[in-house]
Amino acid sequence: MRVLGIETSCDETGIAIYDDEKGLLAHQLYSQVKLHADYGGVVPELASRDHIRKIIPLIDEAVKQAGCDKSSIDGIAFTSGPGLIGALLVGSTVARGLAFAWNKPVIGVHHMEGHLLAPMLEDKVPEFPFLALLVSGGHSLIVEVQGIGQYQILGESIDDAVGEAFDKTAKIMGLDYPGGPRLAKLAEQGTQGRFKFPRPMTDRPGLDFSFSGLKTFAANTLKAQGNDTQTLADIAYAFQEAAVDTLIIKCKRALKQTGLKRLVIAGGVSANTELRQKMAELMQSMRGEVYYPRLEFCTDNGAMIAYAGLQRLKAGQINQNIEVRPRWPLNELEAV
Ligand code: KG4
Ligand code: ZN
């Protein structure tokens, strides 16, 4: 089976073609970063319009890259939520239109399920069951995964997602959008031990997160200490250290609670070098295994949507309508 995947939930237009025998045949990505940079964040209406401009040329490019004929595509998968409603609607209407024109089945995919399954595109594939830490710009979740669509949410953010906290802190520090990776880069120049940020909600039981306080802590430190280059780097270091450490503490707790030995980390923040390194150390100490997507599939992409959609289409799940769900809890998905 061969599936065309379409991702348009936020500020990246991602198109891919995945074949369950041959693997990933094509992968095209257009990032709107430059478009939104002047505004310091994603402007939803501009995002929708830019998806409209890019989506068809990228589909053409992906078909060319795959070296296949359109008629060999057996189904279409698109991100139907969660995300920005206008952006989601671009992907869903194009997917539905193509499905109608080509007479193929279509399925809406949950964006976070796409992230969760992204490590399946790599050589080292996790077996079920496993624990998943999903860390993106919109969500921070710890999920017990028994199989595709069998997700029990053990913990989640009660305020800002961790990626959002990276972005907001970066903005306070005067870094350009998108702030997360820039803050991580700046932290490389930081001094260990100069500032100590709190590890929110780790002093009580439970697996939920709260990251918004770290942003306030950064703002207050900045106000008190000034904003010379070294101080900015030291704040970035302390922020990242606290965010990563908090994720480590909660994952360790969840692994102990569930007895699971396999950990998947996915979503934009899983591209963070410090997080990847610390999680590898944690899993080594617990004699477990950690699984990540390759760097380019940590952030939004079409490959993860094509993969997740293929699993569902193959199981006979079809959804021919264009409905999108800007809010959509992950644990409402149907099992495969
Ligand atoms: O998964 P994603 O591409 O989009 C959403 O579904 O939200 O995640 C984007 C988020 C942004 O908040 C971005 O700042 C963060 O991932 N991010 C990072 C890094 N790369 C991306 N955060 C920290 N360190 C990074 N290297
Ligand atoms: Zn995402």
Side-chain angles (χ1 to χ4, degrees), residues 247-267:
L247 294 172
I248 300 276
I249 293 168
K250 294 290 163 110
C251 279
K252 194 170 172 182
R253 217 177 259 182
L255 288 162
K256 283 195 174 148
Q257 186 179 311
T258 56
L260 292 168
K261 290 281 180 197
R262 286 178 290 269
L263 175 69
V264 159
I265 309 180

Side-chain angles (χ1 to χ4, degrees), residues 132-321:
L133 173 69
L134 302 181
V135 276
S136 72
H139 298 85
S140 312
L141 299 164
I142 296 185
V143 189
E144 184 174 345
V145 181
Q146 294 295 339
I148 296 177
Q150 293 172 260
Y151 308 131
Q152 194 189 346
I153 297 172
L154 304 179
E156 60 191 317
S157 178
I158 59 166
D159 42 50
D160 292 352
V162 62
E164 191 178 358
F166 265 90
D167 294 339
K168 286 180 176 172
T169 304
K171 199 170 181 179
I172 290 168
M173 292 168 65
L175 302 177
D176 287 340
Y177 166 85
R182 287 175 202 264
L183 190 151
K185 188 101 196 84
L186 184 63
E188 288 172 17
Q189 314 301 321
T191 327
Q192 186 182 12
R194 180 167 169 209
F195 300 121
K196 172 100 177 159
F197 279 40
R199 275 58 172 160
M201 290 178 75
T202 54
D203 58 351
R204 67 196 90 159
L207 296 169
D208 285 341
F209 303 106
S210 165
F211 288 107
S212 71
L214 287 181
K215 163 194 70 195
T216 315
F217 204 89
N220 292 340
T221 310
L222 199 62
K223 218 182 284 169
Q225 306 284 335
N227 63 350
D228 62 279
T229 315
Q230 191 56 49
T231 299
L232 285 175
D234 294 344
I235 291 175
Y237 184 97
F239 169 86
Q240 177 174 267
E241 184 187 45
V244 168
D245 206 26
T246 303
L247 294 172
I248 300 276
I249 293 168
K250 294 290 163 110
C251 279
K252 194 170 172 182
R253 217 177 259 182
L255 288 162
K256 283 195 174 148
Q257 186 179 311
T258 56
L260 292 168
K261 290 281 180 197
R262 286 178 290 269
L263 175 69
V264 159
I265 309 180
V269 183
S270 67
N272 185 278
T273 313
E274 190 66 16
L275 178 68
R276 289 169 92 100
Q277 203 174 318
K278 289 277 158 59
M279 284 294 180
E281 286 167 17
L282 170 73
M283 292 318 285
Q284 209 172 2
S285 74
M286 295 185 78
R287 297 212 174 80
E289 283 287 333
V290 63
Y291 303 83
Y292 311 99
R294 74 191 78 166
L295 281 180
E296 61 177 334
F297 294 160
C298 286
T299 43
D300 294 348
N301 65 83
M304 65 186 196
I305 302 304
Y307 179 87
L310 185 142
Q311 307 310 317
R312 291 189 172 275
L313 286 168
K314 220 169 135 183
Q317 296 182 8
I318 298 174
N319 178 0
Q320 300 285 9
N321 66 38

Side-chain angles (χ1 to χ4, degrees), residues 2 17 25-28 60-69:
R2 188 171 290 178
I17 299 172
L25 300 182
H27 151 55
Q28 296 286 326
D60 286 340
E61 206 52 47
V63 170
K64 212 180 338 163
Q65 185 187 6
C68 69
D69 193 80

Side-chain angles (χ1 to χ4, degrees), residues 57-79:
L58 281 180
I59 291 172
D60 286 340
E61 206 52 47
V63 170
K64 212 180 338 163
Q65 185 187 6
C68 69
D69 193 80
K70 282 175 191 151
S71 62
S72 73
I73 292 170
D74 303 303
I76 297 156
F78 67 97
T79 304

